[in-house]
Amino acid sequence: MQDARVAAMFGRDRAAAILAVALVWLVYAFTFWTMRQACDTCGVTLLVLGVGACVVLLNTAAIAAMIRHYRKDRDAIYGTDLYYLDQARAMRRRGNA
């Protein structure tokens, strides 16, 4: 039973992380698209593009590393969360909370 809950929690967290990275890419793309004329005027288009690419690539790499780490240690990471969630649920049932 707990393994299914761990898998479900990991799946939700992975989906949220992927969505967050996709949103970061979209925000950076939108920002560059709207600011491209100003960048061209100032002559910093390549600089802005390079810095933005570094930021999104490093963010993507960090999230990918986090997902790999969570996949490897998910029983320990989510097991602790589930233990305390089960304890809180038991206390509510007993009327202690």
Side-chain angles (χ1 to χ4, degrees):
M1 180 175 130
Q2 189 170 357
D3 189 55
R5 294 191 308 168
V6 167
M9 289 176 80
F10 173 70
R12 284 191 302 267
D13 285 352
R14 183 182 60 219
I18 292 169
L19 176 65
V21 167
L23 289 174
V24 166
W25 277 84
L26 290 173
V27 166
Y28 269 79
F30 174 77
T31 302
F32 179 75
W33 180 257
T34 58
M35 296 299 297
R36 71 189 184 287
Q37 284 184 327
C39 292
D40 285 340
T41 303
C42 297
V44 294
T45 302
L46 289 178
L47 177 66
V48 170
L49 190 60
V51 170
C54 286
V55 169
V56 294
L57 290 174
L58 288 173
N59 277 310
T60 303
I63 295 298
M66 182 191 72
I67 290 171
R68 279 192 306 274
H69 170 70
Y70 274 36
R71 180 179 291 126
K72 189 170 96 175
D73 293 335
R74 68 180 176 180
D75 290 331
I77 292 168
Y78 295 107
T80 303
D81 288 345
L82 288 172
Y83 171 78
Y84 287 111
L85 287 171
D86 291 343
Q87 294 296 319
R89 187 177 299 121
M91 286 179 65
R92 281 194 304 273
R93 284 186 187 144
R94 289 191 305 257
N96 294 354

